[in-house]
Amino acid sequence: MHWFDYCAPKNLDEALNIFSEYGERASALAGGTDLILFMERGRLKPELVVEIPLCYPFVGLEIIDGQIRIGSRTTMRELETSPLICQHAPVLADSARVVGSLQIRNMATIGGNICTASPAGDTLPALLVLDASVKLVSKRNERIIPLQEFFIGPGKTVRQPDELLTEVIIPIPKERIGSSFYKLSVRRYMDIAIVNAAATIAVDEYGIIIDAKISLGSVAPTPIRAYEAEKNLIGKTLNESVLDEAASLAQNASSPITDQRGTAEYRRIMVYRLTKRVVMDAYKKAVAQN
Ligand SMILES: Cc1cc2nc3c(=O)[nH]c(=O)nc-3n(C[C@H](O)[C@H](O)[C@H](O)COP(=O)(O)OP(=O)(O)OC[C@H]3O[C@@H](n4cnc5c(N)ncnc54)[C@H](O)[C@@H]3O)c2cc1C
């Protein structure tokens, strides 16, 4: 690995000053489970590694004005065990639960998962169906952008070199919703998703779908929402042909590639299967709540 300097600013202001001065010559360090590998492999060669401070706004999990605020240094383990997340955003807890191993989940953070911007990142489909936004802060300004606008390609985001991701913001759903997440991988643990998928479904008292969100990972350059499939579910109750249509439309939204984990053709078939699986599961949970 190359030589680099390390510093641990005490608070947000100190960290922003450093990033304002160093820009892309500095890298933020949260859990380090991606960054250290990127540096070992020469994919990133920061002059300065800057530890994200363990203080507000980078830490904390709370509800403010009907929204869940998650500090970017919140670990996967905190997400999967948080009563607040398990109650209001169980799909996020489910996705955090399948990341790496317990040791990895004790280190890996939500901010790191988002900023790495892997098309296969496990919390990303869950965050997309929850309509999450991210807060980016620099010395120049601060902005909140919807997560689906954050990713622009594999490993690429709209984050500027002097910006830090401070918080993830999730609106608490108004209706009662059911949600589901599924990760397809060769090994049960410590494996990258071949395909991952998440869905949230809201139904009225007659079981008619009034809102649907479907998201897929590892089947396009970025995690995606399957908007046409979602639209097609609205106003219907779920049966085999409605599920088939939704799964086919989700397939159309995907553009998978062949790599060491699976062929494009296999992934396309799995998009169909996983969409059916998560939509059915989310629908059943939504109906059970009414
Ligand atoms: C053995 C192993 C298994 C894994 N399994 C999985 C898995 O099953 N599923 C999965 O999705 N991932 C997996 N990963 C990848 C990794 O653990 C996750 O992506 C994790 O969430 C990264 O978080 P981190 O805190 O470690 O990020 P870091 O490594 O600290 O940072 C990752 C990147 O984000 C940037 N960054 C971090 N925080 C901020 C911030 N606040 N503002 C701006 N930039 C920031 C860093 O500069 C770096 O470029 C695995 C990794 C390993 C080593």
Side-chain angles (χ1 to χ4, degrees):
M1 201 190 288
H2 72 290
W3 286 100
F4 60 90
D5 288 325
Y6 164 88
C7 69
K10 286 190 204 67
N11 54 39
L12 174 65
D13 278 349
E14 272 189 37
L16 293 182
N17 284 335
I18 294 165
F19 276 92
S20 156
E21 185 186 337
Y22 277 78
E24 57 196 11
R25 292 181 292 127
S27 281
L29 174 77
T33 60
D34 277 328
L35 181 69
I36 302 302
L37 283 184
F38 295 160
M39 287 167 60
E40 267 178 8
R41 292 172 185 167
R43 177 170 149 187
L44 283 177
K45 291 187 176 173
E47 221 171 89
L48 180 64
V49 169
V50 184
E51 175 125 20
I52 297 284
L54 270 169
C55 65
Y56 183 87
F58 299 107
V59 300
L61 244 170
E62 60 203 324
I63 294 179
I64 301 177
D65 297 335
Q67 296 184 317
I68 306 171
R69 190 198 76 82
I70 306 173
S72 68
R73 269 207 76 156
T74 303
T75 63
M76 298 296 163
R77 186 69 182 147
E78 287 170 317
L79 290 175
E80 67 173 299
T81 55
S82 154
L84 188 154
I85 297 296
C86 292
Q87 182 185 347
H88 295 291
V91 67
L92 181 57
D94 292 344
S95 67
R97 204 165 284 128
V98 301
V99 171
S101 59
L102 184 57
Q103 289 87 342
I104 291 291
R105 295 200 296 282
N106 276 328
M107 299 297 291
T109 65
I110 189 165
N113 206 226
I114 294 171
C115 289
T116 288
S118 161
D122 280 318
T123 63
L124 310 182
L127 289 167
L128 285 176
V129 294
L130 290 168
D131 269 340
S133 299
V134 288
K135 189 167 182 180
L136 296 171
V137 182
S138 68
K139 264 191 99 174
R140 294 174 292 112
N141 68 346
E142 57 178 62
R143 54 188 179 135
I144 294 177
I145 54 170
L147 193 62
Q148 64 263 34
E149 293 170 20
F150 183 71
F151 305 112
I152 49 180
K156 294 202 173 71
T157 72
V158 298
R159 186 180 74 81
Q160 296 301 303
D162 63 341
E163 286 180 318
L164 288 175
L165 195 163
T166 55
E167 291 153 77
V168 179
I169 300 158
I170 299 172
I172 295 181
K174 289 189 188 69
E175 306 96 3
R176 291 189 161 190
I177 62 164
S179 63
S180 181
F181 172 83
Y182 190 78
K183 172 181 183 174
L184 175 75
S185 56
V186 175
R187 292 182 306 198
R188 186 131 182 246
Y189 299 105
M190 298 286 275
D191 208 357
I192 295 170
I194 302 169
V195 179
N196 52 19
T200 56
I201 301 281
V203 295
D204 68 11
E205 67 263 43
Y206 307 107
I208 294 171
I209 297 173
I210 52 174
D211 190 40
K213 298 195 177 75
I214 302 167
S215 177
L216 298 156
S218 213
V219 292
T222 67
I224 54 164
R225 281 272 296 273
Y227 291 111
E228 290 303 316
E230 294 173 2
K231 262 192 260 163
N232 202 56
L233 288 168
I234 309 290
K236 298 175 180 164
T237 52
L238 209 58
N239 58 36
E240 201 49 43
S241 79
V242 171
L243 259 182
D244 269 343
E245 275 175 32
S248 301
L249 289 166
Q251 270 186 319
N252 295 346
S254 69
S255 50
I257 55 163
T258 296
D259 65 13
Q260 71 274 24
R261 285 187 297 282
T263 63
E265 191 46 34
Y266 176 65
R267 283 195 161 98
R268 218 169 272 121
I269 296 166
M270 289 304 119
V271 167
Y272 181 83
R273 296 257 172 97
L274 263 58
T275 301
K276 284 179 89 167
R277 182 181 183 129
V278 292
V279 169
M280 175 60 98
D281 188 36
Y283 180 78
K284 279 186 185 160
K285 289 177 186 165
V287 169
Q289 286 193 31
N290 273 338

